[in-house]
Structure formats: structure tokens, C-alpha cells
Amino acid sequence: TLSDMTPILKTALGEKVELKINGEWDLWYVRADSNQIFNVVLNLARNAKDAMPAGGKLTIKTRNVTERESQKMSGVVGFTPGEYVLIEVGDTGTGMSAEVMAKVFEPFFTTKGVGKGTGLGLASVYGIVKQSGGFIQPESEIGKGTTFKIYLPRYAQTDEEIEAAQPKAAAVRNASA
């Protein structure tokens, strides 16, 4: 999904913001709507652009997180250790105060001027991540930028799904033989 959206992200960010995407190639499967993940990343990128009016750098990273590694976050409220695919969206923008971070996912909360934001973007991001069974964690410091870490649970196919796919795969092999 991220590879497909690179041209759109570059257009949305404009010339002042440098886009860097670093991702593992062998990511685990997740159970999420690719259009919704697209909207999550695009929304975070647009917010990052607004936080970097003079320009800056937006970095998107993806990687697998093992259950052992996720144990380090066991003290984070609402987080359940397990296997995840992590999407990190980080910027070099203005950053957010602790007060703003406490409200960032509330519907209609915005730091943007009148007519410049509805306050629904990050609330939607939060809803999509939660609907996918995931967890989102913002990290920010004034003057040092913001990173949103999105943890989507690894999806393992059931035996029924694997069996349902096998006859199709066999039919394709037989048809091409």
C-alpha cells in the first residue's frame, strides 16, 4: 500500500517536505482495509506537512514487531503484547505539547485556525486503527517533531482459509500445465 501511494504522498507534501520511506519487504499479513490504511497514512502526512510550514522531512517506516519486542510496551495503557506490523509516520515539525497530545484523538479537537481543519482527521485515524484491532501511540516533543506509531496485529490464516485457497491454487497449476 505504501509503495502504491508514494506518488500521491509526494504530491500532497509539496516540494518543501522530503519524503523517505523505509520498509521491510517481508512484512506479515494484517487484517485491515487497504483503502483505510491509505487514508490513515495520508491523513498523518497532511498533518505533518502542516506542522512543517518551512519544510522538513517525513519518514515512514514499516517493520514486523515480535511478541518478545512488544513486551517492552506492556505498561502502556490499552496495549496488548503480541505480534504486530508497525507503521511509523514521523516528521521534523513543530511537535506537540503534552496538553495537545492528551486531546489529539478527540473528535473536533484541532490546533488549526478557523476554516483550516475540522478536528476529525486524527479521530478518524484512531477509529480506523482500533477497528483493525490495532493500537496507535503518538510521541512528540516541541521543536523536535512528532511520530505516530501504528501497531496492526499480525493476521494468521485459519486452517479453513488455507484449505479454501489450496483448490484454487491447484486449479491454477493444473490449468497452466
Side-chain angles (χ1 to χ4, degrees):
T1 298
L2 291 176
S3 299
D4 293 343
M5 69 184 301
T6 299
I8 294 166
L9 284 172
K10 286 183 178 181
T11 301
L13 294 172
E15 293 182 14
K16 292 183 186 177
V17 178
E18 176 189 350
L19 174 64
K20 187 168 186 173
I21 298 178
N22 297 324
E24 289 183 3
W25 287 102
D26 202 16
L27 292 175
W28 294 324
Y29 288 105
V30 297
R31 189 171 207 152
D33 183 294
S34 61
N35 291 325
Q36 288 185 331
I37 297 303
F38 178 96
N39 285 327
V40 163
V41 173
L42 186 58
N43 198 309
L44 293 174
R46 286 181 176 148
N47 282 354
K49 178 186 177 190
D50 292 344
M52 300 183 286
K57 185 166 148 182
L58 178 72
T59 304
I60 302 173
K61 299 177 185 177
T62 58
R63 66 184 180 87
N64 295 325
V65 176
T66 64
E67 183 167 2
R68 183 176 184 157
E69 183 182 354
S70 76
Q71 295 289 338
K72 296 173 189 172
M73 290 184 52
S74 61
V76 176
V77 176
F79 185 80
T80 304
E83 293 182 319
Y84 292 91
V85 172
L86 173 63
I87 303 170
E88 281 186 56
V89 180
D91 66 59
T92 58
T94 56
M96 294 184 284
S97 68
E99 294 80 22
V100 169
M101 283 189 38
K103 298 179 181 180
V104 77
F105 295 121
E106 291 179 11
F108 306 110
F109 174 78
T110 183
T111 58
K112 298 175 184 172
V114 176
K116 298 204 178 197
T118 62
L120 292 174
L122 289 177
S124 296
V125 165
Y126 180 85
I128 290 168
V129 170
K130 287 298 181 183
Q131 177 183 323
S132 300
F135 181 80
I136 184 166
Q137 179 183 32
E139 297 175 353
S140 188
E141 190 175 332
I142 297 290
K144 295 192 177 179
T146 301
T147 299
F148 284 89
K149 294 182 176 184
I150 301 165
Y151 294 85
L152 298 173
R154 181 179 186 178
Y155 176 71
Q157 288 182 312
T158 64
D159 290 338
E160 293 81 19
E161 290 170 322
I162 293 169
E163 287 175 24
Q166 285 176 343
K168 292 176 189 171
V172 169
R173 278 194 301 274
N174 291 337
S176 63

